[in-house]
Amino acid sequence: MSKEQYCSPHPAHAPLLLAAVCAHWRSIATSTRDLWSSLNFQKSSLAEDDTELLLLWLKRSGSRPFSLRLVLEPAQSQPSASLTAFLSTVFDHLTRFTSLVICVEGSCPVLAESKSQILILQELSLDVEWDDLTVTQLLCNLFRSSAMKSLTYVNFRGFRSDSSPRLDHDWTNVTRLYLAYEMSVMECGWILSQCRRVFEARFELVGYWGESSTDPLVFAPIPLKYLRQLEISSLEDLSPLFNAFNSHSLHAMRISLPRSADPWPHIPFIDWIQRTGCRLQELRICGPVTEEECAEIALIAGIYPTVSDAPGM
């Protein structure tokens, strides 16, 4: 079995299938900790015995680091007691997890407040309802306590940053970063400036409902010498980012702006190419860019951009 695969709790799949062959196989299967070190739930809703299955997996995996994937499709109309119990169990045992993926499109039930414990989480992916702030608050508590220093992969979707504290986390070890929630370009730049080792980043700035400012945004220089792929979808002007970040290693860039946006930040982009000497291998622009601008980009960057009017990436 691959360590990258999540085990299914279905009786026809390992490890439950192996444990059902005979008493001898059951003894071997139940004592082999690695067989129980990951679990995958992908279903329309959780049942009462799903929490018992999770506890069984946690028990039989012994002290092994644990990986969990929970995807509920379609979303439940209301948070169920089963989902509440399941997620509470997850966060009660959070110190055991190295990988945690939770995708709940409905409203996510209130979770217990996190304790200030050092976690071994390396991969964290959360996708929750737009108006649910409970998980966001939980993460802010964890981040402020520097409990997640091991994180290398972060994927957050559906949070509202204006209603909760900023994710003040030590992002030093993060190498892959995907963020999609209501945040400003200023917060995007601040997070990028903390990710000195990131090589793949994607930001979907889906809107920002905080207080707007008429003052121009100014970023300190953002050196990102390992960044190879950057994707940004934004409703705001991206010029401050181009004026600040410095990454000569960037190979692929995708920028998406709505039709109603201000003119594409052509001059800051050209200045960035000339300043860094970056030679892009892939450039995709979705938004209001002219043929003349594309020709100038091709002349300076050595690559003609792929242009699309489709909203999004």
Side-chain angles (χ1 to χ4, degrees):
M1 296 175 59
S2 171
K3 291 184 178 180
E4 297 181 354
Q5 292 179 335
Y6 292 92
C7 292
S8 169
H10 195 281
H13 300 156
L16 291 181
L17 177 63
L18 299 177
V21 174
C22 63
H24 180 61
W25 279 52
R26 177 179 176 82
S27 176
I28 295 176
T30 55
S31 61
T32 304
R33 306 303 186 192
D34 287 341
L35 288 176
W36 309 88
S37 62
S38 68
L39 186 57
N40 178 44
F41 283 97
Q42 184 164 356
K43 54 202 309 187
S44 59
S45 62
L46 290 177
E48 292 183 5
D49 58 355
D50 287 330
T51 299
E52 297 178 5
L53 278 174
L54 173 60
L55 289 170
L56 175 66
W57 250 255
L58 287 167
K59 179 180 178 180
R60 290 183 175 176
S61 61
S63 59
R64 295 288 191 276
F66 199 83
S67 299
L68 174 69
R69 181 174 183 267
L70 171 65
V71 179
L72 298 186
E73 298 175 342
Q76 301 178 99
S77 59
Q78 295 294 331
S80 68
S82 299
L83 179 56
T84 301
F86 188 92
L87 290 178
S88 295
T89 300
V90 168
F91 282 87
D92 284 344
H93 296 81
L94 201 55
T95 55
R96 289 278 313 279
F97 288 80
T98 57
S99 178
L100 179 60
V101 177
I102 297 179
C103 180
V104 181
E105 296 182 4
S107 186
C108 191
V110 177
L111 302 171
E113 291 188 5
S114 171
K115 308 299 187 298
S116 296
Q117 298 173 311
I118 300 300
L119 306 181
I120 60 173
L121 268 175
Q122 297 176 7
E123 299 186 356
L124 180 60
S125 176
L126 298 177
D127 189 341
V128 299
E129 183 70 16
W130 288 105
D131 60 354
D132 194 313
L133 305 178
T134 56
V135 178
T136 310
Q137 187 63 54
L138 176 74
L139 289 173
C140 290
N141 292 340
L142 286 170
F143 283 5
R144 286 200 305 272
S145 64
S146 298
M148 292 202 241
K149 289 186 176 181
S150 299
L151 276 180
T152 59
Y153 169 80
V154 177
N155 179 16
F156 296 158
R157 298 178 59 87
F159 301 108
R160 292 183 58 175
S161 62
D162 62 299
S163 301
S164 60
R166 187 170 61 181
L167 297 181
D168 291 327
H169 171 56
D170 181 359
W171 301 87
T172 303
N173 294 316
V174 174
T175 57
R176 292 180 297 155
L177 178 65
Y178 306 94
L179 300 180
Y181 59 84
E182 294 169 359
M183 66 174 169
S184 65
V185 170
M186 177 64 79
E187 184 175 359
C188 171
W190 181 87
I191 292 176
L192 264 180
S193 69
Q194 309 301 307
C195 301
R196 300 303 175 90
R197 298 182 182 178
V198 66
F199 63 79
E200 185 176 328
R202 177 172 182 172
F203 292 89
E204 294 182 41
L205 314 185
V206 295
Y208 181 61
W209 302 100
E211 295 183 2
S212 60
S213 174
T214 57
D215 297 331
L217 297 179
V218 179
F219 290 125
I222 306 174
L224 299 168
K225 63 180 181 180
Y226 300 110
L227 185 64
R228 296 178 60 84
Q229 180 173 328
L230 175 64
E231 301 184 21
I232 299 182
S233 176
S234 176
L235 300 175
E236 297 186 67
D237 182 17
L238 296 176
S239 297
L241 280 181
F242 286 122
N243 289 332
F245 90 92
N246 189 348
S247 178
H248 67 274
S249 62
L250 198 64
H251 286 182
M253 175 179 284
R254 299 185 182 184
I255 305 296
S256 179
L257 298 170
R259 290 177 177 271
S260 59
D262 293 332
W264 196 81
H266 170 247
I267 298 302
F269 180 81
I270 292 295
D271 290 344
W272 168 73
I273 289 290
Q274 293 176 323
R275 183 178 72 251
T276 62
C278 177
R279 308 302 289 182
L280 293 171
Q281 298 177 5
E282 178 186 349
L283 174 61
R284 178 180 175 186
I285 302 173
C286 177
V289 56
T290 66
E291 293 184 3
E292 292 77 9
E293 290 172 342
C294 287
E296 185 176 1
I297 291 172
L299 179 64
I300 301 298
I303 182 174
Y304 198 92
T306 299
V307 180
S308 171
D309 290 331
M313 294 189 222

